Amino acid sequence: MQFNAKDFNPHLDGPILTKRIPCWPYADPKGRHVVHLDEYLKTGGYNGLRKALTMTPEAVVEEVKKSNLRGRGGAGFPTGLKWTFLPKVDEGKDPGMRYLAINADESEPGTFKDRLLMDFDPHLLLEGIAAACYACRLKRAYIFIRGEYHHQAYVLEEALKEAYAHGVFGSKGLLNGTQTAGGGTWAVECYVHRGAGAYICGEETALLEALEGKRGWPRIKPPFPAVKGLFGKPTIINNVETLCHVPSIVEFGADWFSKQGRASTLGAGAPPSFGTKLMGVSGHVARPGTFELELGISLRKIVEDLCGGMRNGKKFKAAIPGGVSMGILSTDQFDAEMDFDIGRKCNVLGLGTACPTVFDEDTDMVMVARNIARFFKHESCGQCTPCREGSGWLYQLMTKVEEGNGKTKDLDLALEIATSMGSMPGTTICGLADGNNWAVRTIMNKFWGEFEARVKPSYVPVKMTIGAGAR
């Protein structure tokens, strides 16, 4: 399929995260290859880190905070603000052991944007890690990578060897012991830690438990990781894509970053959606793939202009905006804008990973709900009773409805269960149950007719009683 980049301008200055990774509409993905250290340096690699070392750590944190970079892992929390949660350290004093945990788990179904970065441009992640460690005065970094990402783990390990040989990491200090703005050097050690394939380890505290060699169970908060995290020490947890934005923000400045994306459409005071975002599109589209786009682009434009429209010329029916836990966009929400305001505007949990899964007109939404419920039932860690039991009940009810054995009261029961489980109702430690209930209930609410058509009507007779002997 031919594509003319002149017909589409997704953001101002061309690709940023993917400038070394051929992607539509700028280049043919067939030209992709692993970017090794030599090529990375020739194309401006580690310039952001070098500039960071000429600034004080506080100045780097402030620049990231000023950029309004929001986490790209799903929650969208401001990155610079998160960094300020670390305990304050007096200038010139040793902060003690503090950690950076990189969430490369990417186990959310329908999400594969971090994989692209680790597959082909691993040094961009390593540069972001080094800059973040300097800014937050962290001494150790652990890349927690999904157990199924065998190839990506190998690519990262090879890139780490190159980075150590070049002096990026190691006991000498960042970039072979370069003098920092405050004098002296800052040494960082970086490691790749492979997970065992558990979805729950994408939750930050479960990730920390797994890094410590324990079962991946979320922790009760507070204390929060920035105060008491990995091995009981202050810890920052950031997503792969988030850290890959840091080098360019440091190199070109927060003002440059904020020219991409958009301000919030919810009014003054609401946090903006600045910057570009990797959006991995899958499902019933003619050309699925990962695209780097400005936040705020409409789903329709992505599907019709970048993905060649719906597959086999069929009509759009629904889409999951960013991982199954976010809920569903209905048929009349095809023009939904992909930014961090989407949750409040379209009645979904949020933007999530911004990797939409698209469904055509022939999709059975009852089957979709049942399949999602099955996934969450399987992946619940079982620590919280509402999630452990509720996820099983939801799966049983969805299976019953799909098979045609359900009654209308089963639909009411499913919605009642869904709205009673999750960290937002305050019944569970982490958000897995929220993802489960938002997915199921948004599908049910927005495609109620399909569910109602699959069940048998159930009537609860109401009797009026007057007097003791009335029947």
Side-chain angles (χ1 to χ4, degrees), residues 1-5 7-11 23-26 277 279 281 285-294 297-310:
M1 185 181 297
Q2 296 297 315
F3 188 93
N4 185 0
D7 298 334
F8 187 79
N9 182 26
H11 51 78
C23 293
W24 298 112
Y26 300 103
K277 181 78 183 69
M279 300 184 186
V281 188
V285 294
R287 183 178 58 212
T290 304
F291 312 93
E292 185 181 359
L293 306 168
E294 266 193 297
I297 187 172
S298 73
L299 178 62
R300 181 189 296 272
K301 193 171 184 66
I302 295 172
V303 171
E304 294 182 350
D305 292 0
L306 283 171
C307 297
M310 298 297 294

Side-chain angles (χ1 to χ4, degrees), residues 30 133 160 168 176-177 200-201 206 283 297 371 378 393 443-444:
K30 292 180 181 179
C133 285
L160 258 180
V168 176
N176 269 320
I200 193 62
C201 287
I297 187 172
N371 195 33
H378 181 268
W393 293 344
I443 294 173
M444 290 182 66

Side-chain angles (χ1 to χ4, degrees), residues 313-388:
K314 294 185 179 180
K315 296 180 181 179
F316 169 85
K317 182 175 185 177
I320 296 169
V324 296
S325 60
M326 292 300 106
I328 201 89
L329 296 171
S330 58
T331 308
D332 61 350
Q333 294 175 324
F334 195 18
D335 291 304
E337 295 168 324
M338 299 291 288
D339 60 25
F340 290 106
D341 296 340
I342 194 172
R344 291 174 61 181
K345 292 191 295 186
C346 298
N347 191 29
V348 291
L349 187 55
L351 180 65
T353 58
C355 291
T357 303
V358 183
F359 304 115
D360 66 24
E361 57 188 317
D362 295 332
T363 305
D364 180 353
M365 300 312 295
V366 178
M367 179 273 294
V368 172
R370 188 267 307 156
N371 195 33
I372 292 174
R374 178 205 60 80
F375 171 79
F376 281 110
K377 172 185 177 295
H378 181 268
E379 294 297 339
S380 172
C381 77
Q383 186 176 186
C384 304
T385 303
C387 181
R388 181 184 66 245

Side-chain angles (χ1 to χ4, degrees), residues 153-175:
Y154 170 77
V155 172
L156 281 174
E157 290 280 11
E158 293 300 305
L160 258 180
K161 292 177 184 177
E162 293 179 336
Y164 267 94
H166 188 64
V168 176
F169 301 108
S171 57
K172 287 184 179 179
L174 294 173
L175 291 183

Side-chain angles (χ1 to χ4, degrees), residues 130-158:
C133 285
Y134 172 69
C136 299
R137 302 178 73 179
L138 311 173
K139 295 183 177 182
R140 297 286 185 276
Y142 291 95
I143 305 172
F144 186 91
I145 189 168
R146 181 180 177 182
E148 293 88 346
Y149 278 0
H150 306 289
H151 175 71
Q152 291 72 26
Y154 170 77
V155 172
L156 281 174
E157 290 280 11
E158 293 300 305

Side-chain angles (χ1 to χ4, degrees), residues 32-215:
R32 291 175 182 173
H33 60 279
V34 177
V35 177
H36 291 287
L37 181 64
D38 290 345
E39 182 180 354
Y40 189 72
L41 292 172
K42 290 177 182 177
T43 53
Y46 291 109
N47 285 345
L49 177 58
R50 291 190 182 91
K51 182 178 178 181
L53 295 178
T54 67
M55 306 162 63
T56 64
E58 294 76 15
V60 178
V61 172
E62 187 58 34
E63 196 69 23
V64 174
K65 187 177 178 181
K66 182 183 174 184
S67 73
N68 284 293
L69 170 65
R70 298 175 67 173
R72 279 12 185 186
F77 194 83
T79 304
L81 180 60
K82 178 187 280 191
W83 289 1
T84 65
F85 293 163
L86 285 165
K88 303 299 180 185
V89 180
D90 293 337
E91 188 173 350
K93 288 189 176 181
D94 187 347
M97 187 55 70
R98 288 145 61 112
Y99 297 97
L100 174 65
I102 300 91
N103 189 343
D105 192 63
E106 196 167 48
S107 52
E108 185 72 28
T111 302
F112 43 88
K113 44 97 178 174
D114 291 343
R115 175 178 178 172
L116 180 76
L117 296 169
M118 294 185 287
D119 260 331
F120 301 109
D121 200 3
H123 281 282
L124 180 61
L125 171 60
L126 298 183
E127 184 177 2
I129 290 171
C133 285
Y134 172 69
C136 299
R137 302 178 73 179
L138 311 173
K139 295 183 177 182
R140 297 286 185 276
Y142 291 95
I143 305 172
F144 186 91
I145 189 168
R146 181 180 177 182
E148 293 88 346
Y149 278 0
H150 306 289
H151 175 71
Q152 291 72 26
Y154 170 77
V155 172
L156 281 174
E157 290 280 11
E158 293 300 305
L160 258 180
K161 292 177 184 177
E162 293 179 336
Y164 267 94
H166 188 64
V168 176
F169 301 108
S171 57
K172 287 184 179 179
L174 294 173
L175 291 183
N176 269 320
T178 298
Q179 291 289 302
T180 66
T185 61
W186 188 256
V188 177
E189 301 292 344
C190 186
Y191 308 91
V192 174
H193 181 103
R194 298 186 64 179
Y199 171 80
I200 193 62
C201 287
E203 196 276 336
E204 60 179 17
T205 58
L207 183 152
L208 297 180
E209 289 285 297
L211 274 175
E212 292 179 0
K214 304 172 187 174
R215 183 175 180 176

Side-chain angles (χ1 to χ4, degrees), residues 404-453:
N405 298 321
K407 296 184 178 181
T408 51
K409 67 178 182 180
D410 293 321
L411 302 182
D412 296 331
L413 181 58
L415 289 175
E416 182 179 352
I417 293 170
T419 53
S420 301
M421 54 189 281
S423 59
M424 285 188 285
T427 61
T428 59
I429 294 174
C430 84
L432 184 143
D434 294 284
N436 191 354
N437 77 59
W438 272 88
V440 171
R441 64 190 168 103
T442 56
I443 294 173
M444 290 182 66
N445 286 328
K446 295 182 180 182
F447 295 93
W448 182 259
E450 291 192 33
F451 287 83
E452 199 171 39

